[in-house]
Structures are given as structure tokens and as C-alpha cells.
Amino acid sequence: MHRTIVVVDVEGFGDARRTLPHQVATRAGLYRVVADALGAAGVPWEDCYHEDRGDGVVVLVPPEYAKAPLVEVLPEVLARELRAHNDTSPAAQRTRLRVAVHAGEVVFDRHGVTSTAVTTAFRLLDAPQVKQALADSPGLIALVVSRWLFDEVVRHSAVLDPATFRPVRVRVKEVRDTAWTALPDSPYPADPAVLDQPSDPVTAGDTGGAIPRQLPGAPALFVGREEYLADLDRALTPLGDDPATATAVVISAIGGAGGIGKTWLALHWAHRHSHRFPDGQMFIDLRGFSPDDQPLHSSVAVRGFLDALGVDPSRLPTDLDAQAALYRSLVAGKRMLIVLDNAATADQVAPLLPGTPTCTVLVTGRRKLASLIDRHGARHVQMGLLSQQEARALLTERLGGERLDTEPGATDELIELCGCHPLALAIMVRHASTLPKVPLAEFGAELRDLGLDMLDDDDPSASLPAVLSWSLRHLTEQQQMVFALLGTAPGPDIDLPAAASLTGLPEARTRKALRVLEDCSLLDRHPHGRYRMHDLVRAYATTTAHDRLPEQERQAALERVVDFYLHTAHAADQLLDPNRPQIAFGPPAPGTSPQPLPDLPSALAWLDAHHSHLLAAQHTAATCHRHQAVWHLAWTLTNFHQRRGHRHDELTVWLAAVDVTAHLADPLTRALVHRFVGRAYAVVGRHEQAIGHLDQALSLARRHHEPTQQAHTHFTLARTWGQQGDYRRALEHAEDALTLVRTHGTPLGEADALNQMGWYAACLGHYDTAREHCQAALTLHRRHYNPVGEAATQDSLGYIAHHTGRHREAIHHYRQALTLRRTLGNTTQTTDTLDNLGHPHAALGQHQQARSAWQEALTLYRKQGRDTDARRVQQQLDDLDAATNHHHGATTDPPPPATPTGNNHR
């Protein structure tokens, strides 16, 4: 009896991870999807004969049902149903299928069914090429049809494109034939040329030529990386996906740090696209970065490829050039993939490059292989870290979602400590998977305590420190020194001027060393000339510095880089406030080259960019017992902190200065430190601590008969009491400050004191006295060109004018202050003035102008983390809207601000 024969087999059914319950569930899913797919093809399951084969099923379709739907519809529906099944099943029950379709006579006996046609169908299913096609495919189905079915059905189908099928020679047991395979849910590119190939049966004696299939297995832990896979698709796909249209061999070079996943990416891409290379895929590890002392020589690699291509050893030429020429001849015109893994140099790779555009080459290595890019047109793909989502997916794949969900915090910490580094995560997965009862939090704690030691192993290929160490072999001694010192540098990254001072090298040599480290993927270059290491690479660099560099050399480097930041910041501070009293810092350490800053915008831009480095430099100075540098850095940052609103950082740097006061011999320096830490406490609202430190500062200044210090401390005490709303006591301190500066101070000190007295007089409602003091202050600030003090005084005059009903005059003063503060880059006080400016506008019924000023102030307060001020301004806006809606007058003024904005920071 004639029947259409459909045989379905589950890939990897006997895998050890499929327990018996998993196998039972897999079989149930298999029967369901096969029955549904047959139904979609118009063949009821109950009309068919079917036999169970353990890991598959054979179905005999009666002759009254058409054959075409069994190749046109059934495979597509199978793929769709399988995808739905897999999406709702655990990993051990997910299924991929090989499907064979044939037709012929069958015989039924009391044992079942038999015939040559049935046997042939099973042989098609077991053909190695069909198994490999499914293994290499990202899809779920590999379809193989007999030569007869292809010629009689597929070639004439109005639904299928025969050019998406590929011929395969089947040599299984007694069967010698040509079948045709397709990937329904991940089809081969249409290639009409394959249809011209003869489909005659292969004779028993026809063994054909050697087709190398050298790709190692696809990586088990591969997740995500879609961005880089897409980059490779673009780089390695000729125009129109047709090698015949290409004019040169297509080459892509994957670069990245050790352990970042270059080989995994290459193999995953290669397996996904192996169908594009029917003439073979060759792979070799060039050992550029490995435990071996030397990379693999090109001659050894070429000889390995010639062996894989079946060249008789007696035919091999003796010299490398001749061997490379023979290799190019053998692969010429063939559609082959050549994977050159772990390359050290472009010279190592060059002899292994084919000469015709039908071949594709994929190179991995830690270097950028510049001449490969320049001379051979290689497309470079630089790999980075896993994303947070990819890192979590990797952990989920091996440890299971349930374990991660049980410890979400520990999972996040593990990802953070590994810095999303693939090898580091793989090592931690190994630890956790072999000890499933140990909580993930314990592994995180060990990694946090041990650092790189936790990621070490006797097997060098499973040790992150060992993998990183292989990159240093290709560096000169000086380049290794630069690498090690970069690990110790303060701050999250570094630029060229700072690196030159750190290393003590001229900028040109430093730039060359940085470029080499970047080329070796030990250093990443970011915009604006910033260089950054991954945290784990930096930890290895720090370890290298302690292991290989003498302590004296390390300390000298840290002294130079701290002085670079200190003296550059000092120059910036002088541009921010040229009238500020100078402090003698002494010359920087030999080999230090502070960065020149030409003007105020450059100074502010440099301080903005290097703020975190300056904080880290102060910490480094404290660690190295450079006590003077600790308080000097605090001093240089005060102006900047006030202008940018870094209130908590200001407190931090002055608390660090307080910690070293015992080592400061000058009592007036100690008084200054206590005064500034008191001021910083006051700014963040911790008034009790502020008064304590200010009293110490005043006591020291009096004891040592230093009137200038006393005056400055009275200034700060006035501000602090004003912040608490005690304007009378604040005014008393302001009067004390004025008395002292008129006798022992400067005109600008007198101007600051007059503005402060005017401010607190205004807060007490003495507006005429307040205006008189502030006008006198304004005259002095203008006479001595002090825009900082002028802005503060204009702000005070605006407040006085507004509270005496002179709202247009108030707007004029506030706008003068606002212009000056914007020019000075003082975002903190700009925000305060915008807040103040809204009130006289509101009083005049100019609601749109008031709203505009307050909206901008609200945005800036939120950015600066000044939540109390932000809530107050939001209430002002709400009141303004209510007043506008009800046609009422101006909003109610808030209580007076605690202090004059923009006073003394000397």
C-alpha cells in the first residue's frame, strides 16, 4: 500500500538533563504538536497510522491525502506550535525536531509496518548533514525530503521556494542517495544555482572530497549580545548576501579585553550561519594570549588547515609562502568560513587569509590588528561588557530563575561585583552551581572580601587574573609600568595630562603608552579624552603595581598626581575668585605638570569634569599622610562647591581636613579648618555642630591675636545664626566683623561686612539702615571689581526694595544679580536669585514672569537636591495659579531667607 511517510525525531532526547519526568512531558508535547500540525495540513490524526519510536514518531498518511501540504504547511505549523510549547516549558522539556518526509509502498504485519521506503525515511533522518543543519540553525525545525519527493513536489510547489533547499548526500548504512534539506523557520538564502546540481544517487564508491567541519561546539552560556551579532551580520554579509557580488574576501575582527567573550561570540555567530558555508568551516586557536609562552606560528596553522583539507603530506611544500599559496588555491572559489581565534598580531593572521571573495574570515584577538583593518579592509567589532539584563540572563540560564528570585539582592550584588564581566560571572556561576545549597549572598560576601583572589583558579583558562596577565606579555617594561600605575590613580578615570604627571613621562610618551594599552583592550577610551579601566582590570593593575613596582616609585607617582590635581584646582580657584586671599602651597613634586587654564569658563569646565578626581585625590593624600595637601584641596574646592551647590561634598572635604589638624603645626591653620567645617555644617543645617567648630575657630584666633581670622569667623557665625532665624545675634556678629575688618582688613572685607549688616538689618525690618549699608557695600565692590560681592549685594538690595514696596526697583536689582551669577557660573546662587525675582513680579501682577522665574528655580533646586526649597517654590507656584484663577493679587511672601546669598568664603 502506498503511503506518505513522515518521521519526526526529538533532538537530544536522551540528554542527561532530561530526567524521566521531563522525557514523558516532552513526548506528550511532541504528540500534541504533531497532531495539530497534521490537522493544519488537512490530515486528521485519527486517519493516520502512527508508531511510537521512543524519542520520536513515524506517521503513515493515507494516499487520498495530498503530499504537498505535508511539506508546505506541516513544517511551518510544527515550528509555530513548538515555539509556543517551548515558551511555556522548562528548559529540559524544550524541543527541536528533525522531520523526514518520503513516500512509497509499505507492508503491515503483526509486528507493525515495514518496507524499504520506511527504512529510507529513517536513514534520511539520521544523516549527519541533517543533524548538523539543525545543530547549526537558530530555528526549531530541520526538514529533509527524499530526492523523489523534492523532484515531484517541491520543485513544482506554488508555496515553497526550491532555491531555499540544499542537497545533502546521504550515506547511512546501505542507503546512498541525495536528499534535500530546508530550515522552515530559519530558511537558507535562496540560491537558484543549487537547483542546477545533479540529484542522481551517489554510488557506493563515491567518497567525495574532504569537507572540514572544525567548529568547536556552540558556547553553552551564551546569552544576548544581539548588538554585536548584528554588527557581525552587517560586516560579514556581502552585498545582496551573494558572495558572487563581492570583490574581496570579507573579514571581521572581534576585539575586546581578556574574558569578555570574543570566542563565544565568534562561535555563536559561526554556528548560526554555518549553512552559508557548505564547503566547510575551519577553526584554529592561534594562542596569542594563552598559557603558552609563544603564539602559534603561522606555519603550524597553515599546515593544520592543509591537513583538514585532505592534502597528502607528500604534496606539502617546505616553506611557509608556498604552503600559504597552496592553501589559498584549495579554498579558492569555495564558500568557506575561516575562524582565526585568539590572534596576537596581524602578521600571524595574514598567511591564513583566503584570496577569493567566496570565503569569509572571522578573527578574534585582544589587539585591534591595525594593518588587518588598513590593508585588508577588516571590519572591527569592539566588544564590551554584558548589559545588566544579559548578566542576569546568564545567571538564570545556569542557576535557575527560582534560586535568583529567592535572593534578588544577592543576585544584584553578584552582578555588580563582577561588573557584568562575562568570565567573572561564569566563574561565580561555577562556584554557585557546584554548591547549590550555599546561599548566593555568601558567594557575594567572599567576592567582596577577596576580590580578584575569588576569581583565581589553578586552571589558568578559568582564572581571571591569569587571563589578564597574558595581555602584559606583549607590553614593554615601561608600558607595564604605566598600566600598573593607572590602577592606583585617584578617580574613576584619567586624562592625558593627569596620566603624564602620574607616570612622570612626557605627554608624547604617555599618549603612546595609553594608545598601546587601549589597543590591547586593557584600557577603554571615552569621549573628551577620558581613559577608563573595568573595575576588575583596574584591581589587577593595582595588584600588579604592588607586586612589581617598588613602594618608593608608587608613592612618588601618587605624590605627582595629587599635586597635579591640587595645583590645577588652585589655578582654577584663582580664576573663580581673583580677590580671594592666597595661600602658599609650595611647588609641585618634580615631574608634575599642572594643566594651564586660560579663563573662567575653562576653569569651571575643568572643575566640573574632575570633581570626582579631586575628591579621590584628597583621599589619596590622606592615605599617603600628606596632611598639608588634604586641607589645601579642601580650600581650593570651597568656591567651586558653593557655586555648584555641592553642599555635602563641601562638608566631606573639610571633615577630612579636620582629621589631619593634629598634624598641622600652625594654630591659625587649625582655626581656619574649624571655621570652614563649621560653615559646611551650617549649610547642611547641622547648626549645633557648626557652632561648636566656629567657637573653636574663634577661640584659636583670639588666643593667637589674629584679627583677620576673628573677622572671618564672625562672618560665618552671623550666617549660622541667621540660618536659625536669630537675626539679632547674626547682626551682632556682623557688626563685630565690620569693626575688625575696618581696623585690620581689606576694603573687600569691609564691603562683605557691610552687605551682611544690611541683610540682617533688613531681616529685622530696619530697611533704611539696611539700604544704607548695602549701597556702601555696592560702591566698594564695584570700585575694587568684585563681581561675586557685587552680585550678593544686588540680591540684598532687591530684597530691601521688594519689602518696601519698590517692586520694579527690586526686579532691576535681582536681574543685575542674576546676570552676574550666571556669568560666574554660580548655579546655587543663580537659583536663589530666580526664587527671589519671582516675588516682585507676582506683587506687580506679572504672573507669567513670576511663573517663569519660579519654574526655572524649581528645576534647579531639584537638580541640586535642595528638597525643602523645591517644596517651597512648588507651593509658591500653586498659590500663584490659585491667585490667577481667582483674579486675586500677589502671593504671600515667604519668610526672609536665612542668610545673604553669596557672602564670604575666605
Side-chain angles (χ1 to χ4, degrees):
M1 289 182 289
H2 186 87
R3 292 286 189 273
T4 304
I5 304 163
V6 179
V7 185
V8 182
D9 185 80
V10 177
E11 180 190 56
F13 184 82
D15 190 295
R17 289 172 292 185
R18 290 189 200 268
T19 62
L20 184 57
H22 289 140
Q23 290 179 337
V24 170
T26 300
R27 280 160 50 86
L30 170 68
Y31 274 83
R32 184 176 63 256
V33 300
V34 171
D36 290 345
L38 282 168
V43 181
W45 174 258
E46 57 270 18
D47 287 358
C48 301
Y49 172 87
H50 34 82
E51 278 186 10
D52 181 75
R53 295 300 175 111
D55 58 352
V57 61
V58 57
V59 180
L60 303 183
V61 179
E64 61 264 29
Y65 292 105
K67 293 178 173 58
L70 297 173
V71 290
E72 294 172 341
V73 178
L74 181 136
E76 181 179 344
V77 176
L78 270 179
R80 186 175 68 240
E81 295 290 323
L82 268 186
R83 187 165 291 107
H85 166 81
N86 290 348
D87 287 344
T88 58
S89 301
Q93 291 169 211
R94 294 171 191 162
T95 304
R96 301 205 309 166
L97 300 176
R98 300 194 311 283
V99 181
V101 183
H102 184 38
E105 297 295 317
V106 300
V107 175
F108 291 89
D109 61 17
R110 63 192 181 92
H111 302 293
V113 63
T114 185
S115 76
T116 301
V118 173
T119 302
T120 298
F122 280 101
R123 299 296 184 255
L124 298 181
L125 203 67
D126 290 336
Q129 300 97 316
V130 177
K131 293 181 178 179
Q132 189 64 46
L134 181 58
D136 293 341
S137 171
L140 301 177
I141 301 288
L143 171 68
V144 60
V145 300
S146 63
R147 175 173 53 88
W148 179 88
L149 201 77
F150 182 84
D151 289 339
E152 296 299 320
V153 178
V154 175
R155 284 184 185 271
H156 306 289
S157 172
V159 176
L160 299 174
D161 182 357
T164 62
F165 282 69
R166 294 294 182 266
V168 292
R169 290 183 173 183
V170 180
R171 302 172 198 148
V172 181
K173 295 187 178 179
E174 74 285 354
V175 175
R176 297 290 186 273
D177 205 347
T178 295
W180 292 80
T181 188
L183 302 172
D185 57 336
S186 182
Y188 298 119
D191 184 1
V194 302
L195 302 177
D196 298 328
Q197 298 183 24
S199 58
D200 297 329
V202 180
T203 64
D206 183 8
T207 59
I211 299 180
R213 308 285 187 191
Q214 293 186 324
L215 291 179
L221 274 182
F222 192 88
V223 295
R225 301 303 210 178
E226 295 301 329
E227 173 189 352
Y228 301 114
L229 290 169
D231 286 343
L232 289 178
D233 285 344
R234 286 189 291 271
L236 295 176
T237 302
L239 183 65
D241 202 23
D242 183 359
T245 65
T247 58
V249 62
V250 181
I251 306 171
S252 184
I254 303 174
I260 207 71
K262 301 179 294 295
T263 302
W264 287 6
L265 179 70
L267 287 175
H268 187 81
W269 188 92
H271 279 284
R272 177 184 279 189
H273 295 275
S274 61
H275 61 273
R276 286 177 43 192
F277 310 104
D279 296 319
Q281 307 99 37
M282 296 199 291
F283 177 95
I284 193 164
D285 180 359
L286 296 174
R287 302 175 194 170
F289 303 88
S290 73
D292 297 344
D293 291 335
Q294 296 295 328
L296 190 72
H297 196 276
S298 299
S299 60
V300 179
V302 170
R303 173 63 188 269
F305 280 169
L306 292 173
D307 289 343
L309 292 167
V311 175
D312 188 334
S314 63
R315 288 183 55 206
L316 286 176
T318 55
D319 66 282
L320 174 60
D321 290 341
Q323 289 181 357
L326 175 59
Y327 158 69
R328 289 192 294 273
S329 299
L330 292 172
V331 300
K334 293 186 176 181
R335 298 177 66 176
M336 298 187 72
L337 174 65
I338 318 296
V339 181
L340 307 176
D341 187 43
N342 198 10
T345 65
D347 290 340
Q348 185 189 26
V349 168
L352 306 175
L353 298 178
T356 58
T358 57
C359 292
T360 296
V361 181
L362 188 51
V363 185
T364 76
R366 300 188 189 183
R367 291 181 176 270
K368 284 193 172 63
L369 305 178
S371 65
L372 200 65
I373 298 171
D374 298 342
R375 295 176 55 195
H376 299 279
R379 321 280 182 84
H380 184 77
V381 175
Q382 184 70 18
M383 284 192 74
L385 301 168
L386 295 168
S387 68
Q388 290 280 342
Q389 293 78 9
E390 290 170 335
R392 179 173 289 275
L394 188 152
L395 296 179
T396 302
E397 184 70 24
R398 286 296 300 273
L399 301 180
E402 183 177 348
R403 189 174 182 187
L404 269 58
D405 292 341
T406 303
E407 298 184 78
T411 301
D412 292 341
E413 182 184 32
L414 212 54
I415 293 172
E416 181 181 356
L417 291 170
C418 290
C420 294
H421 192 286
L423 180 56
L425 285 164
I427 292 170
M428 296 310 299
V429 162
R430 184 210 329 141
H431 290 316
S433 62
T434 54
L435 296 169
K437 294 184 179 179
V438 177
L440 296 179
E442 291 190 23
F443 293 111
E446 289 184 45
L447 181 55
R448 188 171 56 252
D449 294 341
L450 298 176
L452 277 179
D453 288 342
M454 183 70 177
L455 303 173
D456 202 356
D457 194 88
D458 292 337
D459 177 359
S461 63
S463 164
L464 183 60
V467 168
L468 294 175
S469 72
W470 301 334
S471 294
L472 301 190
R473 293 179 183 169
H474 303 272
L475 303 179
T476 66
E477 185 174 341
Q478 186 177 87
Q479 290 161 356
Q480 291 184 32
M481 178 270 290
V482 172
F483 170 74
L485 289 179
L486 287 174
T488 69
D493 54 19
I494 200 166
D495 60 7
L496 176 60
S501 289
L502 173 74
T503 60
L505 299 173
E507 277 203 6
R509 289 168 64 187
T510 305
R511 180 184 286 107
K512 182 177 180 180
L514 294 175
R515 188 176 295 125
V516 169
L517 295 177
E518 179 194 359
D519 184 59
C520 292
S521 301
L522 290 168
L523 196 62
D524 295 323
R525 183 171 178 175
H526 292 264
H528 311 297
R530 313 300 306 173
Y531 294 88
R532 182 189 294 263
M533 289 177 170
H534 184 275
D535 289 346
L536 294 174
V537 176
R538 183 166 185 169
Y540 178 69
T542 303
T543 300
T544 302
H546 284 276
D547 291 346
R548 301 190 185 184
L549 300 181
E551 182 177 0
Q552 184 177 359
E553 185 174 347
R554 298 197 311 270
Q555 291 300 319
L558 291 176
E559 184 176 355
R560 287 192 300 269
V561 75
V562 167
D563 278 1
F564 166 82
Y565 286 120
L566 171 61
H567 286 268
T568 307
H570 180 51
D573 183 55
Q574 289 179 295
L575 289 166
L576 263 63
D577 187 358
N579 297 306
R580 193 181 190 194
Q582 297 302 304
I583 292 179
F585 283 1
T592 305
S593 300
Q595 188 169 341
L597 300 170
D599 50 32
L600 176 60
S602 300
L604 278 170
W606 188 89
L607 289 166
D608 282 330
H610 295 85
H611 184 219
S612 60
H613 305 84
L614 291 161
L615 299 178
Q618 190 195 40
H619 178 75
T620 299
T623 303
C624 296
H625 308 294
R626 294 193 58 201
H627 309 303
Q628 293 289 331
V630 171
W631 85 264
H632 285 168
L633 278 162
W635 169 268
T636 61
L637 283 167
T638 290
N639 262 317
F640 173 70
H641 280 164
Q642 195 223 349
R643 293 198 185 190
R644 289 300 198 234
H646 299 309
R647 299 173 297 154
H648 295 285
D649 290 327
E650 174 73 354
L651 178 58
T652 298
V653 296
W654 281 108
L655 284 174
V658 166
D659 288 341
V660 302
T661 51
H663 304 281
L664 302 177
D666 181 11
L668 295 179
T669 300
R670 296 199 298 273
L672 180 148
V673 170
H674 281 294
R675 170 161 58 87
F676 273 94
V677 79
R679 180 182 180 279
Y681 268 128
V683 169
V684 298
R686 297 171 64 178
H687 299 295
E688 185 177 345
Q689 294 93 329
I691 295 298
H693 281 282
L694 291 171
D695 285 346
Q696 288 188 65
L698 189 59
S699 176
L700 282 167
R702 284 171 174 167
R703 190 183 313 155
H704 294 278
H705 310 291
E706 218 304 316
T708 303
Q709 285 272 30
Q710 292 178 51
H712 291 323
T713 308
H714 280 299
F715 276 127
T716 310
L717 280 163
R719 290 172 57 89
T720 304
W721 286 113
Q723 285 176 322
Q724 297 180 69
D726 192 338
Y727 303 123
R728 194 164 302 282
R729 187 176 292 189
L731 183 57
E732 290 172 359
H733 282 290
E735 289 170 344
D736 289 341
L738 179 61
T739 300
L740 286 162
V741 296
R742 277 181 167 165
T743 306
H744 304 284
T746 64
L748 288 181
E750 181 180 351
D752 284 336
L754 284 167
N755 180 44
Q756 195 173 52
M757 284 184 64
W759 176 259
Y760 291 118
C763 292
L764 290 167
H766 306 152
Y767 296 114
D768 291 339
T769 303
R771 185 180 296 106
E772 181 181 342
H773 287 317
C774 290
Q775 287 289 2
L778 185 62
T779 300
L780 284 170
H781 282 308
R782 285 176 168 171
R783 182 182 303 159
H784 296 280
Y785 187 65
N786 181 22
V788 175
E790 181 182 348
T793 308
Q794 291 280 15
D795 192 272
S796 299
L797 287 166
Y799 178 83
I800 295 165
H802 171 55
H803 283 79
T804 54
R806 298 153 72 170
H807 304 303
R808 297 188 188 281
E809 182 181 328
I811 291 170
H812 171 75
H813 286 301
Y814 282 141
R815 291 204 176 278
Q816 292 288 314
L818 193 59
T819 299
L820 287 165
R821 284 172 169 172
R822 288 193 196 276
T823 302
L824 292 166
N826 194 326
T827 55
T828 302
Q829 292 171 4
T830 294
T831 311
D832 294 331
T833 301
L834 283 165
D835 182 6
N836 295 338
L837 176 61
H839 293 288
H841 277 305
L844 292 170
Q846 298 171 349
H847 292 179
Q848 186 55 46
Q849 292 92 327
R851 183 177 291 105
S852 176
W854 285 339
Q855 284 285 8
E856 186 176 355
L858 179 63
T859 300
L860 291 171
Y861 276 141
R862 285 173 174 168
K863 285 183 179 179
Q864 295 163 16
R866 298 166 68 179
D867 298 334
T868 301
D869 290 324
R871 286 192 294 270
R872 176 175 50 74
V873 172
Q874 182 63 66
Q875 186 61 53
Q876 290 167 191
L877 284 164
D878 293 343
D879 292 345
L880 185 66
D881 289 338
T884 302
N885 292 337
H886 294 88
H887 307 288
H888 291 162
T891 59
T892 302
D893 286 333
T899 60
T901 56
N903 243 358
N904 169 282
H905 12 275
R906 292 174 173 76

